[in-house]
Amino acid sequence: MIDVARHFISYEEMKRNIDAMAAVKMNVLHWHLTDDEGFRVESKVFPLLHQKGSNGDYYTQAQLKELVRYAADRGIIIMPEFDMPGHAQSWFAGYPELASQPGPYRPGGRMQWQNEHPELKIPKSTSIADIVANMVAPTFDPTNEKVYNFLDKFVGEMATIFPAGYMHIGADENNGMAWKLNPAIMTWMKQHQMQSADDLQRYFVQRMYGILKKHHRQLVGWEEIYNDKLPADA
């Protein structure tokens, strides 16, 4: 797994990493391409993603396709990771209407965004675990149908670049605080008999499962995607 969202590396460096993988017979590159800190792929459908979410560090579609071909020639498939519903600050730099809390947004660490929005208070604590559990992090709004229309088009575009049958959605480290502080989201949850943010997280993952299936991709996520209603092939 190579995380270029937080630590961008060049196209040529990616080639050298692929060569190194081939030398030791690794055959799957999990390429972590988006996170709070940066959005690293060119999107022609939604160009503000890379224009406002990358700080200028991203791969063009031509480069992405060439790296996929370069890896395939060495027996390696590339599985891209596009993080959601949390770890999504860089998405919202260009498209803040998709977020659960109003902007503005810019790529950077989650604590940076929290500190720039003092109206979203974190309970005082000396515990890092408490801060992580209570901080308000940039998060997609799962109750907004426009989110799924957007992600459907985005996944369709990325499926033309990454032909392997897997796509990673992250879906980790979401404490639900951005949802709990949005009255409209809480009302929607009550209307849909959802008891907790975990229920809404499950709903989002299920919707993304369907979108990926539509585009002939198998959903992959971190362990937080697991629930007893999750299809067995995720």
Side-chain angles (χ1 to χ4, degrees):
M1 193 273 269
I2 298 179
D3 180 355
V4 297
R6 295 185 177 91
H7 306 283
F8 185 75
I9 64 176
S10 72
Y11 167 78
E12 291 301 330
E13 287 174 299
M14 282 302 305
K15 280 191 168 182
R16 291 200 296 274
N17 275 281
I18 290 168
D19 287 339
M21 289 180 65
V24 294
K25 301 190 184 302
M26 292 183 177
N27 64 357
V28 179
L29 170 57
H30 170 181
W31 203 6
H32 189 109
L33 288 161
T34 74
D35 212 295
D36 291 308
E37 291 79 2
F39 198 97
R40 306 304 183 193
V41 300
E42 177 189 21
S43 172
K44 295 180 180 179
V45 177
F46 301 110
L48 294 183
L49 287 171
H50 65 275
Q51 289 173 3
K52 291 194 173 183
S54 72
N55 288 325
D57 289 326
Y58 65 91
Y59 307 98
T60 67
Q61 291 200 4
Q63 289 175 323
L64 294 168
K65 289 175 180 177
E66 170 57 20
L67 285 169
V68 167
R69 184 204 62 78
Y70 190 83
D73 286 348
R74 288 153 181 77
I76 297 167
I77 66 169
I78 294 180
M79 175 181 67
E81 178 177 349
F82 307 108
D83 247 322
M84 58 184 86
H87 289 276
Q89 188 167 192
S90 63
W91 296 75
F92 306 145
Y95 300 93
E97 66 274 16
L98 304 177
S100 297
Q101 292 291 329
Y105 293 90
R106 60 188 175 90
R110 279 178 286 174
M111 282 304 298
Q112 163 203 291
W113 188 81
Q114 176 76 76
N115 292 336
E116 290 175 355
H117 292 76
E119 71 278 9
L120 303 172
K121 299 287 187 183
I122 311 177
K124 288 185 178 180
S125 171
T126 56
S127 164
I128 294 295
D130 285 347
I131 291 173
V132 170
N134 292 291
M135 72 181 299
V136 185
T139 310
F140 276 97
D141 178 357
T143 71
N144 182 355
E145 279 301 312
K146 291 180 181 178
V147 164
Y148 302 107
N149 293 333
F150 182 101
L151 292 173
D152 184 13
K153 292 175 183 176
F154 177 78
V155 168
E157 181 183 23
M158 292 300 110
T160 69
I161 297 170
F162 299 100
Y166 303 90
M167 194 171 287
H168 203 301
I169 68 164
D172 61 316
E173 298 177 345
N174 172 32
N175 63 14
M177 287 301 294
W179 300 339
K180 294 173 185 176
L181 294 179
N182 183 319
I185 291 176
M186 295 303 293
T187 297
W188 189 95
M189 288 173 60
K190 289 178 182 176
Q191 290 171 346
H192 291 79
Q193 290 77 52
M194 293 186 184
Q195 305 301 315
S196 69
D198 289 339
D199 292 334
L200 191 52
Q201 170 88 357
R202 283 192 284 271
Y203 172 81
F204 178 83
V205 171
Q206 293 281 7
R207 292 292 300 267
M208 289 310 303
Y209 175 88
I211 287 172
L212 265 63
K213 275 292 184 185
K214 172 185 171 182
H215 295 285
H216 310 291
R217 294 297 180 273
Q218 191 166 356
L219 181 145
V220 184
W222 296 109
E223 67 271 19
E224 288 95 327
I225 70 168
Y226 180 75
N227 67 82
D228 58 3
K229 295 182 176 62
L230 187 70
D233 62 338

